[in-house]
Amino acid sequence: MKPTIEIEYCPKCGWLLRAAWMAQELLITFSDDLHAVQLRPSEVAGRYTIKLGESLLWDRKREGHFPEPKEIKQRVRDIIAPDRSLGHSDR
């Protein structure tokens, strides 16, 4: 079965559009490799995390900033298709 990515975001902080943009980027890049990208409003203020299955790919508080699509695409690729080229996102 193809993996699912979950983006948990703080709705009180207004991060839904940021989460939706990231979901769009991932779905465009990995359209054949992913089952779904789920957006989940968090009950914890300030949370913005991205998980691939049970693997935590990004935690805004731990990393100190929001991810760029390039960073997340590389982390997803490294797990689900390590031999795949991401073109300009690999530079």
Side-chain angles (χ1 to χ4, degrees), residues 19-80:
W21 172 58
M22 187 63 71
Q24 175 183 312
E25 288 288 321
L26 292 167
L27 287 169
I28 288 169
T29 302
F30 299 104
S31 60
D32 294 332
D33 304 305
L34 294 174
H35 173 69
V37 176
Q38 298 176 340
L39 302 180
R40 187 162 69 93
S42 180
E43 295 179 7
V44 178
R47 179 168 287 167
Y48 188 90
T49 60
I50 301 175
K51 293 180 180 178
L52 176 62
E54 296 298 317
S55 299
L56 180 63
L57 297 179
W58 195 272
D59 182 333
R60 183 192 66 83
K61 288 188 178 182
R62 182 184 71 197
E63 303 285 347
H65 61 93
F66 286 100
E68 291 296 323
K70 174 182 176 176
E71 294 171 288
I72 295 302
K73 288 177 182 182
Q74 288 173 343
R75 291 182 186 194
V76 169
R77 183 271 318 269
D78 289 349
I79 294 172
I80 66 173

